[in-house]
Amino acid sequence: MPLPFELRLVEDDGDLRQLIDFMGNTPLDYAGYDEWLRDKLAPRVAEGAALAIVGRYEDRVIGNAVLYVTPPASVELKNFRIAGGYGDEGVGSFLWRQAEVLGCTMLGLREPAGSAQIRLDTRSTNAASLAFFLTQGCRELGRTPLY
């Protein structure tokens, strides 16, 4: 039976607070993550310089996608995560498809042009993330050190 979840854009302070709380409760393991979340991501989403989608189930956030437009004409997926326990429910695939559509809209494209329009990165040691994005039609362009 499909999971009855909803996806929506972060549009107000309440949505933004839920996004930041969700992302803060599942931190990434790199230096300065909390500062990036608070000082860079939150203001960019609030100002509209970044767009975010949240997935909700029973009034709690279970996933998110955050996208930035990057010069000259591409979109970068800055953050994408699904809460533990929801990985096999189709939430990730549906959220990714919506992120693709949103990314194309951000670039002014009328039809989704596929994941080639969206850049993203993940750790080479994150096998689950790598496998997920490959199954969604993404391809590896290269590997670089984090810092």
Side-chain angles (χ1 to χ4, degrees):
M1 183 165 125
L3 183 69
F5 65 94
E6 70 167 342
L7 295 179
R8 59 184 260 180
L9 282 174
V10 171
E11 297 182 321
D12 60 34
D13 289 342
D15 291 342
L16 181 57
R17 195 173 320 105
Q18 285 187 331
L19 171 70
I20 299 305
D21 288 348
F22 175 70
M23 291 174 65
N25 288 330
T26 52
L28 297 177
D29 183 27
Y30 67 80
Y33 178 76
D34 291 333
E35 291 80 16
W36 172 81
L37 189 59
R38 181 186 63 243
D39 299 337
K40 292 192 177 183
L41 179 75
R44 285 181 180 163
V45 173
E47 296 163 0
L51 295 180
I53 305 169
V54 292
R56 289 192 177 95
Y57 174 65
E58 295 181 349
D59 294 326
R60 65 181 185 272
V61 176
I62 61 168
N64 75 276
V66 178
L67 299 111
Y68 292 5
V69 172
T70 54
S74 65
V75 171
E76 183 175 358
L77 182 68
K78 292 302 286 185
N79 190 275
F80 185 95
R81 66 183 67 211
I82 305 301
Y86 296 96
D88 294 331
E89 301 294 337
V91 176
S93 295
F94 193 71
L95 182 58
W96 172 250
R97 293 292 168 244
Q98 297 310 304
E100 282 187 304
V101 170
L102 181 59
C104 290
T105 300
M106 291 169 79
L107 292 174
L109 301 174
R110 296 181 138 223
E111 296 183 26
S115 56
Q117 296 294 326
I118 299 175
R119 291 183 308 126
L120 62 97
D121 59 66
T122 190
R123 291 176 189 243
S124 60
T125 56
N126 188 341
S129 181
L130 289 168
F132 171 78
F133 286 115
L134 289 171
T135 66
Q136 302 305 305
C138 297
R139 60 188 171 89
E140 184 176 328
L141 297 177
R143 294 186 184 211
T144 59
L146 184 59
Y147 295 108

